[in-house]
Amino acid sequence: MSEQREVGSGRPARDADLGDMVASTDAGARAPTGLTQKILLGTALAWSLFQLWIASPLPFILGIGIFNDTIARSVHLAFAVFLAFLAYPAFRRSPRDQVPILDWVFAGLGALAALYVAIFNTELSGRPGAPILQDVIVASIGMLLLLEATRRSLGPALTILAAILLVYTFVGPYMPTIIAHGPKSLNTVVNHQWVTSEGVFGIALGVSTKFVFLFVLFGALLEKGGAGNYFIKVAFSLLGHLRGGPAKAAVVSSGMTGLISGSSIANVVTTGTFTIPLMKRVGFSAEKAGAVEVASSVNGQITPPVMGAAAFLMVEYVGIPYTEVIKNAFLPAVISYIALVYIVHLEAMKVGLEGLPRPGVPKPWMTRLIGMLTGFIIVCGLAAIVYYGLGWTKEAFGEASSYIAGLALVAAYIALMWYGARYPELELDDPNAPVITLPEPGPTVRVGLHFLLPVVVLVWCLMVERLSPGLSAFWAAVLMITILLTQRPIEAVLRKRDFAASFKRGWDELIDGLITGARNMIGIGIATAAAGIIVGVVSQTGVGAAMTDVVELISGGNIMLMLFFTAVLSLILGMGLPTTANYIVVSSVMAPVIVELGTQSGLLVPLIAVHMFVFYFGIMADVTPPVGLASFAAAAISGGDPLKTGFIAFFYSLRTALLPFLFIFNTDLLLINVDFAHGVLIFVVATIAMMLFAAASQGFFMVRSRMYETAILLLVAFSLFRPGFWMDMIAPPYESVAPTEIVRVIGDAEPGQDIRLTIQGLDDVGQPRRFVTALAVPEGSGGDERLAAAGLELLLQEGEVLVDNAAFGSPAADAGLEFDQKIVRLDVPASPPPKELIFIPALLLLGFVVFAQRRRAAAGTAAATA
């Protein structure tokens, strides 16, 4: 890590400006020497070891070094702040090879201010809400230094936003009525932001401490072990020979890297230094090559399991299991990637691009297909043996089954290393070399199969063992550490090399990986703490409710306008922020807007869909000019114009911008309450729909599309995505019943069925409020008994139905029902025809376009050969 221009992939960047930009973005722009370097790297190493310690079961086994959440967050932030001041210079012209005395002072004071919460944890808990002068001074210094660390490590955007909201906390009484709030004293603010867990030391920093660090460390260890190079080479070996192959390989390799990356910018520079020059070599312009890399890298942030750390935050904010978040995010991410590959294919068809030459004699397609099927069957068979075999050992051997599984894992690792040693090692090609030869797919895939084992362990622990994300990442990291220590010595034995030198190389790669993981976490740790300031302001001032009023005023109550303005505000709030920070900001400020205005408009959306909506548009800010940081990073590599790269990347990313609007209205895309067979149908139909949308946006399907054909493709895509829109016009899904019939309706309904209630009442500040809610029908023998089971007591008065009581913690209270509210409308589910019937006319329209374009394509081919 002593090289100044080292990037996330561990390869020195070839361009000086790119190297500086990458370094300043991801791992700190300073590269000091001597004792300062040892302190910087030693602190980073200590941070990684501390995080591994608190994630492991060892503290509980040994009974020492057990930290509660507050102390762990405090130490986590102390490391981040200390390293931020050492790794990031104050200004562009500040020295890079040394740390000024003032920065040492800031680093020490910042770390002590963060540790204050841990050191005086008992005393602080004994005076809640009553800070003494010492608390106020330390908290004030800590917040100022945190903002400065944020400016250095993340740029001015998040710093300015946090500072503006802090000022708003104090000047709230003097603001316009719509966003005004009560006065707040300095003691109250610093206590809320620094001493309690409502601000800096809140949920966001807790997620960074428990989960995010371990996943970032896991990714760094994988990269140092050679997995990043392996993923890129596999993608190019499989796809590089296709039309526009390097661009398709860029999409796939960026997707695989994005699975473990916490930063879209890191993803761009990790894969882009290799893929962008290759795309340019086969005919893509500098801007289009950069845009493809940006679109695919940003897409990595919506891809499970990490999602730029947002997956773990969603668990805390939405209150659903991690496995549910993964399931909900899976389908949109996959179809978005498939559509991007298709966009690349269309771009290549437009200009007649070809792929790179493939080594050897191409095999017949039937042989390749049989080989793929054979490989798939073998993988499925092995998966079944592992799953059911481990399940049997658990029943037969109990706790000893863990040791048996460990031995099986070791045996698999050694077998895969032996198998891979039969093939040449992977070397990273120079994309600027005069001749590019694609690697052979078979040997390329086989030589690094052992890199898949840590990923398998991670998925197994998450999905099968149902361990926490932090513990799952810990065991995956432990396996990766083992691989780093042993793969070079094993290779030395198998390939007959110097054993001692190989062991030293593996040890150096492990230490480098631990240091890289910590340095890559500096920005994320600072971002989650600084974003905690914004969360604290929202909770202390009620600015979220004010934002709801603003959006409602602008949109005039129109649901589509409301979603559009929320998307625009999410883009603005996300400008210049890393993925983790922008999700925290936009979810804190904008998610309540959609929930509140949606219920007022009769749109009942699961909370996870709302958070996915704002998350998607938050990360789109990495693409969108004028602040799209990922676009600037790609342009630095390609030599293209950054703004033009950003606009093309945004155009390529329209499919990603479309998805949030679709799954707000059609939650089937998030696989919510969907069985397996229905899920497969949704996947197939949604993939076709997204590819048709991509073709329409590109103006090219089989041939260049005419205007009416583009319009038909858009109509077909919309119909496949939202068949319910048309079916609801034909047969409404709900029928209205007089509210006075509610006892009979609930008595006749099936248990578990939702009935919709339109409620009129007052909000928390006494203002009139009208909203729609759903009440699930509980078990019971009649309407009265079921109402009682729901905790709902009603009063019939002059033909009106009033809520007389909603028991605390009951389904009725959870639905938002309160005393003295009036039920003004009652909607019960109808029995409309299946909405999938809309697919029939949609596919007929598609057939018309296919027929017309195939005729034109055939005519063009005949004219060319004449």
Side-chain angles (χ1 to χ4, degrees):
M1 291 297 298
S2 60
E3 186 170 8
Q4 179 172 340
R5 295 184 178 88
E6 186 166 76
V7 299
S9 63
R11 299 187 301 274
R14 288 176 293 275
D15 182 90
D17 293 335
L18 172 64
D20 287 337
M21 179 190 63
V22 172
S24 62
T25 299
D26 284 337
R30 279 203 182 111
T33 57
L35 180 61
T36 302
Q37 180 192 47
K38 293 178 181 178
I39 293 175
L40 176 60
L41 302 185
T43 305
L45 178 61
W47 192 10
S48 287
L49 295 176
F50 168 77
Q51 295 290 158
L52 286 170
W53 173 262
I54 63 173
S56 74
L58 286 177
F60 302 96
I61 295 173
L62 301 176
I64 58 173
I66 300 174
F67 300 97
N68 62 33
D69 287 346
T70 301
I71 295 176
R73 294 175 190 182
S74 174
V75 176
H76 181 83
L77 181 59
F79 273 116
V81 173
F82 185 81
L83 288 172
F85 281 108
L86 296 189
Y88 294 92
F91 304 104
R92 193 180 295 262
R93 296 183 180 179
S94 299
R96 299 296 199 266
D97 58 348
Q98 60 178 320
V99 179
I101 295 296
L102 187 60
D103 284 1
W104 282 108
V105 174
F106 284 167
L109 286 176
L112 287 173
L115 288 172
Y116 181 82
V117 177
I119 296 170
F120 296 95
N121 184 39
T122 305
E123 290 85 345
L124 291 172
S125 61
R127 50 175 186 265
I132 60 176
L133 180 61
Q134 176 180 296
D135 301 340
V136 175
I137 293 173
V138 172
S140 299
I141 293 173
M143 291 184 67
L144 289 174
L145 291 175
L146 174 59
L147 290 174
E148 170 59 13
T150 304
R151 182 192 69 81
R152 294 187 183 204
S153 57
L154 302 169
L158 182 57
T159 310
I160 293 172
L161 181 59
I164 289 174
L165 285 175
L166 275 175
V167 171
Y168 167 73
T169 306
F170 293 104
V171 301
Y174 312 105
M175 301 298 287
T177 304
I178 194 171
I179 58 172
H181 63 83
K184 301 290 186 293
S185 67
L186 177 62
N187 284 20
T188 304
V189 172
V190 297
N191 179 74
H192 187 83
Q193 292 284 3
W194 199 263
V195 178
T196 72
S197 59
E198 296 294 325
V200 172
F201 295 94
I203 290 175
L205 188 63
V207 170
S208 177
T209 305
K210 292 175 65 176
F211 306 140
V212 179
F213 191 104
L214 291 167
F215 276 85
V216 172
L217 177 62
F218 176 59
L221 294 173
L222 269 175
E223 186 63 44
K224 290 300 176 183
N229 181 30
Y230 173 69
F231 289 156
I232 293 174
K233 299 288 276 189
V234 167
F236 272 84
S237 68
L238 296 175
L239 300 172
H241 67 288
L242 301 175
R243 188 188 295 269
K248 293 175 181 175
V251 175
V252 174
S253 61
S254 293
M256 289 190 289
T257 305
L259 292 175
I260 56 174
S261 171
S263 164
S264 53
I265 301 166
N267 205 347
V268 167
V269 298
T270 298
T271 58
T273 50
F274 185 70
T275 59
I276 290 176
L278 282 175
M279 283 189 271
K280 291 172 66 178
R281 278 183 56 79
V282 297
F284 280 81
S285 68
E287 287 78 15
K288 286 189 176 181
V292 168
E293 180 60 44
V294 169
S296 54
S297 294
V298 171
N299 223 109
Q301 301 304 285
I302 66 173
T303 307
V306 178
M307 297 169 63
F312 316 115
L313 290 161
M314 287 181 187
V315 170
E316 301 295 329
Y317 289 162
V318 181
I320 62 176
Y322 177 75
T323 51
E324 282 296 305
V325 173
I326 298 303
K327 185 184 79 171
N328 298 150
F330 174 76
L331 183 58
V334 171
I335 63 175
S336 186
Y337 262 119
I338 292 174
L340 183 56
V341 172
Y342 185 58
I343 287 173
V344 167
H345 179 74
L346 294 176
E347 287 283 10
M349 287 183 64
K350 286 180 185 178
V351 292
L353 299 182
E354 298 296 335
L356 294 171
R358 196 171 194 174
V361 179
K363 296 179 181 179
W365 68 270
M366 182 59 73
T367 303
R368 294 203 301 270
L369 180 61
I370 293 174
M372 291 173 61
L373 290 175
T374 303
F376 178 75
I377 292 171
I378 292 173
V379 170
C380 290
L382 288 174
I385 292 171
V386 170
Y387 182 82
Y388 292 105
L390 286 179
W392 174 78
T393 58
K394 282 183 179 181
E395 294 182 2
F397 299 101
E399 293 184 359
S401 63
S402 300
Y403 299 102
I404 295 174
L407 290 174
L409 190 63
V410 170
Y413 168 55
I414 294 174
L416 290 175
M417 287 292 297
W418 172 82
Y419 184 59
R422 300 164 57 191
Y423 303 95
E425 286 186 279
L426 297 180
E427 298 293 337
L428 190 65
D429 295 328
D430 181 1
N432 295 313
V435 178
I436 293 292
T437 303
L438 291 174
E440 294 188 35
T444 303
V445 172
R446 295 170 191 139
V447 76
L449 286 174
H450 62 283
F451 289 126
L452 300 180
L453 289 177
V455 180
V456 170
V457 168
L458 177 64
V459 174
W460 176 274
C461 291
L462 286 171
M463 301 298 182
V464 179
E465 298 292 340
R466 298 299 178 100
L467 301 180
S468 69
L471 193 56
S472 301
F474 168 77
W475 288 119
V478 166
L479 177 57
M480 197 60 228
I481 289 171
T482 305
I483 289 175
L484 280 167
L485 285 174
T486 59
Q487 71 169 346
R488 303 302 178 191
I490 292 174
E491 283 180 354
V493 173
L494 295 174
R495 297 182 187 271
K496 297 179 173 56
R497 294 177 184 161
D498 182 13
F499 183 86
S502 298
F503 180 81
K504 183 179 183 304
R505 180 184 175 189
W507 177 260
D508 290 342
E509 287 174 344
L510 170 60
I511 299 300
D512 205 12
L514 292 171
I515 293 171
T516 301
R519 293 193 67 170
N520 289 345
M521 263 301 298
I522 297 173
I524 298 177
I526 295 294
T528 52
I533 295 176
I534 298 170
V535 175
V537 171
V538 171
S539 63
Q540 191 171 30
T541 64
V543 69
M547 191 64 71
T548 301
D549 293 337
V550 171
V551 173
E552 183 179 20
L553 181 65
I554 296 174
S555 65
N558 183 281
I559 189 66
M560 283 304 298
L561 281 177
M562 180 267 290
L563 290 173
F564 174 77
F565 285 123
T566 302
V568 171
L569 286 171
S570 298
L571 279 173
I572 294 171
L573 289 171
M575 284 185 179
L577 304 185
T579 303
T580 310
N582 72 36
Y583 169 67
I584 297 168
V585 172
V586 297
S587 64
S588 301
V589 179
M590 300 310 305
V593 174
I594 299 179
V595 173
E596 178 63 25
L597 297 184
T599 56
Q600 293 180 21
S601 305
L603 179 65
L604 301 180
V605 186
L607 193 55
I608 182 64
V610 175
H611 278 256
M612 292 280 285
F613 182 93
V614 296
F615 172 59
Y616 267 54
F617 281 103
I619 63 169
M620 285 292 289
D622 277 346
V623 178
T624 313
V627 190
L629 298 180
S631 299
F632 277 84
I637 300 171
S638 69
D641 179 76
L643 291 179
K644 189 174 180 182
T645 300
F647 281 116
I648 296 175
F650 181 77
F651 189 62
Y652 288 163
S653 301
L654 282 176
R655 77 210 187 286
T656 306
L658 172 71
L659 280 169
F661 286 96
L662 293 170
F663 57 59
I664 283 288
F665 292 99
N666 182 10
T667 56
D668 286 353
L669 293 173
L670 299 180
L671 301 180
I672 297 176
N673 298 325
V674 170
D675 57 35
F676 179 78
H678 193 197
V680 172
L681 175 64
I682 292 169
F683 171 73
V684 173
V685 172
T687 301
I688 295 171
M690 185 56 78
M691 294 174 71
L692 293 177
F693 176 79
S697 66
Q698 292 293 306
F700 196 98
F701 188 30
M702 295 178 171
V703 293
R704 196 165 297 279
S705 299
R706 293 171 177 166
M707 289 293 293
Y708 72 88
E709 291 173 335
T710 297
I712 292 175
L713 289 176
L714 288 173
L715 178 62
V716 172
F718 177 78
S719 300
L720 295 178
F721 270 127
R722 271 208 69 196
F725 178 82
W726 305 113
M727 187 57 73
D728 290 353
M729 293 183 179
I730 300 170
Y734 288 90
E735 56 180 324
S736 183
V737 180
T740 53
E741 296 290 310
I742 186 170
V743 176
R744 179 189 62 80
V745 167
I746 288 184
D748 294 341
E750 292 290 329
Q753 192 176 49
D754 284 344
I755 60 171
R756 292 196 170 200
L757 307 172
T758 303
I759 305 297
Q760 187 173 303
L762 302 177
D763 61 15
D764 294 337
V765 294
Q767 297 296 318
R769 179 187 180 219
R770 184 185 177 102
F771 66 97
V772 178
T773 188
L775 180 66
V777 176
E779 296 282 349
S781 58
D784 291 324
E785 184 176 325
R786 290 180 173 182
L787 279 175
L792 183 60
E793 296 179 21
L794 301 175
L795 178 65
L796 185 61
Q797 183 176 318
E798 298 179 358
E800 295 181 339
V801 179
L802 304 178
V803 177
D804 196 37
N805 183 41
F808 178 77
S810 66
D814 293 340
L817 300 179
E818 297 176 351
F819 169 73
D820 209 30
Q821 291 174 337
K822 183 182 0 178
I823 301 177
V824 296
R825 178 168 173 158
L826 175 63
D827 293 315
V828 297
S831 300
K835 60 184 179 182
E836 287 78 12
L837 291 176
I838 298 298
F839 294 162
I840 296 174
L843 293 176
L844 289 175
L845 279 174
L846 176 61
F848 167 75
V849 175
V850 170
F851 176 75
Q853 294 211 356
R854 288 191 66 174
R855 287 189 61 185
R856 291 211 305 279
T861 302
T865 55

